[in-house]
């Protein structure tokens, strides 16, 4: 494909993408295929000679689209949002064209410097304390990770290195292995599974702190665990607080937990993967109060801030805490400006060496939407969630299972877990809308998350009418079963 054909095909692809997104409401939100469907639709080996481009495009509809879950459909209410916007897609095209691997300033100065600037822009939108911003001479700063899972792991590994160095400085006879065997990390029992995964990769113990009646971690429960573990000879070193849990969007009590972590000299990491985007709105910013106690903070603009995946924003108060954990300087990566103090080499802030020019997406989105446009987008989703909550509360057959703070509503039929499992099965079998469940204590709960950029009140109303209809069928089938028995 030469430049001339690329121009032609590129314009055709933009038209295809625009048509796909404009017509996505007419596509079945969840695919109707069985495992292994795709292999029978394609050859068993790559072609020896080039295929015509027209054949490939036809096969997108024949092979790919039948197996796509349409996350951007206005009838997709599962998981959490995955961000999408035309400005971000255009920036992604440019990112792919430039194709730099921005592991250092020298590898692409613009890639590095724009990321530093965009993370400061975003930090100011969130009203983060000055300590988290790079500025012109700050000790902190931001980095774009691939995911919140990555950010948690990076924070844990940095905290692990820091505590090992501190303990060895005080007691040189201690080996890293001896210290690691006693290290303990902590998170709420509502924390995302990625926290447990980080502890497995990091080779440290993880203790789950029982959450309270609002599914939040409180200081008293954390302090009790810390005291117990110190008495047993263990070494607490790392705490993850979640702002907006995956199950029900609950918020750990940061204003309580933060001072405990500071007093006990524990690294405090905040995971606000979904909810963090909302903090750009003044009315939701109090949910982040207590961030000043944290050592690191992360959320995903690629969830709810119209910046396409992958773009996970992470800030640290002291960037040397990261670079001390990950810094290696082989001669082929060194450059003449790396010790100037004026620039950042992001290879020292992350697990992989290579990285894409992801800050372009932030730059395009922030400029083409503006802060006010992004705030309006968040507020619309929150309002739609409250509309759905209102509808659920009007039906005496249903109950709301957790406080509705942002764009997630947790609800269920009053009654057994089995009847709710049956309802969810019918919903997803019908494939008109898509939901996923969670467990809150012993209850099987349905999650209704406002996800699509194009979702409107009409979609919420249609979804609720559909759920009500299927609920009647499930309850009717249950009554029939009881009569037969």
């Amino acid at each position: 494909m030469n430049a001339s054909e690329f121009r032609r095909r590129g314009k055709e692809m933009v038209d295809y993408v625009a048509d796909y997104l404009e017509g996505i409401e007419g596509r079945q939100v969840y695919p109707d295929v069985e495992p292994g469907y795709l292999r029978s639709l394609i050859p068993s080996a790559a072609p020896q000679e080039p295929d015509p481009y027209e054949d490939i495009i036809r096969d997108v509809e024949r092979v790919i689209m039948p197996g796509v879950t349409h996350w951007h459909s206005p009838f997709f209410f599962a998981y959490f949002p995955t961000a999408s916007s035309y400005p971000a897609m255009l920036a992604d095209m440019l990112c792919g064209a430039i194709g730099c691997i921005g592991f250092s300033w020298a590898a692409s100065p613009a890639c590095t410097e724009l990321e530093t600037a965009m993370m400061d822009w975003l930090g100011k939108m969130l009203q983060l304390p000055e300590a988290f911003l790079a500025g012109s001479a700050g000790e902190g700063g931001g980095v774009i990770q691939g995911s919140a899972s990555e950010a948690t792991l990076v924070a844990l590994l940095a905290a692990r290195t820091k505590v090992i160095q501190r303990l060895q400085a005080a007691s040189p006879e201690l080996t890293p292995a001896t210290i690691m065997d006693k290290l303990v990390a902590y998170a709420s029992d509502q924390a995302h599974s990625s926290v447990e995964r980080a502890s497995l990769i990091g080779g440290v113990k993880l203790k789950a702190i029982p959450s309270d009646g609002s599914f939040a971690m409180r200081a008293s429960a954390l302090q009790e665990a810390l005291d117990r573990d110190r008495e047993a000879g263990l070494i607490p070193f790392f705490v993850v607080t979640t702002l907006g849990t995956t199950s029900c969007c609950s918020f750990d009590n940061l204003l309580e937990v933060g001072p405990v972590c500071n007093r006990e000299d524990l690294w405090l990491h905040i995971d606000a993967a979904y909810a963090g985007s909302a903090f750009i709105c003044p009315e939701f910013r109090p949910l982040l109060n207590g961030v000043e106690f944290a050592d690191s903070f992360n959320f995903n603009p690629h969830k709810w801030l119209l910046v396409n995946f992958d773009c996970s924003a992470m800030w640290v108060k002291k960037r040397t805490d990261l670079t001390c954990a990950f810094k290696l300087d082989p001669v082929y990566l060194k450059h003449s400006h790396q010790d100037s103090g004026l620039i950042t080499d992001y290879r020292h802030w992350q697990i992989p060496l290579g990285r894409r020019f992801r800050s372009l997406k932030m730059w395009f989105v922030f400029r083409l939407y503006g802060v006010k446009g992004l705030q309006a987008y968040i507020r619309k989703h929150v309002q739609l969630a409250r509309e759905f909550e209102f509808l659920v509360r009007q039906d005496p057959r249903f109950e709301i299972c957790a406080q509705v703070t942002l764009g997630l509503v947790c609800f269920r039929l009053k009654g057994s877990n089995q009847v709710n499992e049956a309802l969810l099965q019918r919903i997803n079998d019908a494939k008109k809308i898509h939901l996923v469940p969670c467990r809150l204590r012993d209850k099987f709960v349905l999650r209704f998350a406002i996800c699509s950029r194009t979702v409107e009140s009409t979609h919420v109303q249609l979804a609720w009418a559909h759920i009500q209809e299927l609920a009647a069928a499930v309850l009717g089938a249950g009554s029939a079963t009881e009569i037969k028995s």
Side-chain angles (χ1 to χ4, degrees):
M1 183 179 287
N2 57 27
S4 176
E5 187 178 4
F6 174 72
R7 289 179 191 275
R8 180 162 61 94
R9 299 304 188 186
K11 291 170 184 174
E12 291 174 2
M13 181 57 75
V14 168
D15 284 340
Y16 179 85
V17 169
D19 289 343
Y20 165 71
L21 291 172
E22 284 187 330
I24 198 170
E25 185 174 339
R27 293 180 183 260
Q28 184 173 282
V29 63
Y30 193 76
D32 193 17
V33 297
E34 296 296 326
Y37 90 95
L38 189 145
R39 188 170 286 273
S40 65
L41 299 178
I42 61 174
S44 59
Q48 294 298 313
E49 300 294 335
D51 280 343
Y53 181 80
E54 291 81 1
D55 288 357
I56 298 171
I57 290 302
R58 278 194 294 269
D59 281 349
V60 170
E61 286 294 335
R62 183 182 69 88
V63 178
I64 303 302
M65 287 300 175
V68 170
T69 300
H70 298 287
W71 280 63
H72 301 294
S73 166
F75 294 115
F76 182 91
F77 301 105
Y79 310 107
F80 276 134
T82 180
S84 174
S85 69
Y86 294 118
M89 283 184 264
L90 291 173
D92 249 349
M93 289 175 62
L94 182 57
C95 172
I98 293 173
C100 64
I101 311 298
F103 48 77
S104 71
W105 182 88
S108 188
C111 181
T112 294
E113 295 196 17
L114 186 65
E115 181 162 339
T116 304
M118 288 304 97
M119 291 300 294
D120 273 3
W121 276 22
L122 185 53
K124 290 174 182 177
M125 288 160 62
L126 296 164
Q127 300 176 50
L128 287 184
E130 194 72 24
F132 285 101
L133 305 181
S136 57
E139 294 186 354
V143 57
I144 303 174
Q145 304 286 3
S147 67
S149 304
E150 235 177 278
T152 300
L153 176 59
V154 164
L156 181 143
L157 295 176
R160 188 186 72 179
T161 298
K162 187 174 182 179
V163 71
I164 288 173
Q165 290 176 344
R166 186 180 75 230
L167 292 174
Q168 284 191 307
S171 304
E173 73 280 3
L174 291 175
T175 65
T178 301
I179 296 170
M180 279 185 58
D181 190 52
K182 296 182 178 181
L183 292 180
V184 188
Y186 303 85
S188 161
D189 57 14
Q190 299 298 310
H192 193 270
S193 60
S194 61
V195 180
E196 183 176 2
R197 194 164 185 265
S199 74
L200 289 172
I201 296 171
V204 300
K205 301 175 184 67
L206 176 70
K207 298 288 183 74
I209 305 301
S211 54
D212 68 7
S214 298
F215 306 104
M217 177 164 63
R218 304 296 298 271
S220 57
L222 174 63
Q223 187 69 63
E224 183 180 337
L226 296 175
D227 293 344
R228 184 171 59 247
D229 287 345
R230 288 194 193 281
E231 191 174 337
L234 299 175
I235 306 171
F237 81 108
F238 183 71
V239 175
V240 177
T241 53
T242 306
L243 302 182
T245 58
T246 301
S247 292
C248 65
C249 200
S250 59
F251 291 77
D252 288 338
N253 196 314
L254 190 54
L255 286 169
E256 284 187 3
V257 171
V260 172
C261 293
N262 285 189
R263 185 173 64 248
E264 298 278 353
D265 202 11
L266 309 175
W267 182 300
L268 175 59
H269 176 70
I270 299 173
D271 174 10
Y274 161 67
S277 296
F279 303 156
I280 68 169
C281 299
E283 65 269 33
F284 299 123
R285 176 54 178 79
L287 294 169
L288 187 56
N289 287 351
V291 66
E292 62 273 13
F293 298 112
D295 297 276
S296 54
F297 165 64
N298 168 255
F299 84 97
N300 291 342
H302 68 229
K303 273 191 169 67
W304 205 13
L305 210 58
L306 296 167
V307 180
N308 294 10
F309 188 86
D310 56 348
C311 182
S312 187
M314 179 185 185
W315 290 266
V316 288
K317 270 186 182 168
K318 287 191 66 176
R319 55 179 174 265
T320 53
D321 287 339
L322 291 191
T323 56
C324 285
F326 299 109
K327 188 170 184 177
L328 289 172
D329 256 336
V331 66
Y332 48 81
L333 294 180
K334 289 185 177 181
H335 58 89
S336 58
H337 296 285
Q338 68 180 37
D339 296 321
S340 68
L342 300 175
I343 54 91
T344 294
D345 281 352
Y346 278 119
R347 72 181 188 271
H348 303 314
W349 293 54
Q350 60 177 21
I351 294 168
L353 174 65
R355 57 207 330 275
R356 300 187 306 118
F357 201 163
R358 293 177 291 206
S359 57
L360 277 172
K361 295 183 289 189
M362 299 171 77
W363 196 43
F364 274 48
V365 169
F366 295 167
R367 295 183 68 186
L368 285 168
Y369 276 90
V371 175
K372 290 183 178 178
L374 295 171
Q375 290 171 335
Y377 177 69
I378 297 292
R379 287 169 178 146
K380 175 184 174 182
H381 274 203
V382 173
Q383 183 56 43
L384 289 173
R386 289 175 179 163
E387 179 179 344
F388 184 79
E389 178 193 12
F390 175 80
L391 293 171
V392 174
R393 290 191 185 277
Q394 303 314 299
D395 191 327
R397 299 173 299 172
F398 287 87
E399 61 182 338
I400 297 292
C401 304
Q403 182 178 347
V404 178
T405 305
L406 298 176
L408 175 68
V409 182
C410 291
F411 72 108
R412 71 195 299 272
L413 282 167
K414 295 173 182 176
S416 68
N417 285 340
Q418 288 74 20
V419 74
N420 283 282
E421 290 169 6
L423 174 58
L424 182 65
Q425 186 71 48
R426 289 197 183 223
I427 290 170
N428 287 333
D429 283 351
K431 298 181 172 65
K432 289 185 177 180
I433 64 173
H434 188 42
L435 305 182
V436 295
C438 69
R439 280 197 178 272
L440 296 177
R441 306 290 187 244
D442 59 345
K443 288 185 176 181
F444 184 90
V445 174
L446 283 65
R447 298 170 73 262
F448 189 94
I450 304 296
C451 293
S452 171
R453 177 175 53 84
T454 59
V455 66
E456 300 288 348
S457 175
T458 53
H459 302 111
V460 172
Q461 298 276 348
L462 286 169
W464 175 239
H466 180 58
I467 291 168
Q468 285 184 305
E469 181 183 348
L470 295 179
V474 167
L475 294 173
S479 299
T481 301
E482 288 174 12
I483 293 169
K484 286 181 182 178
S485 62

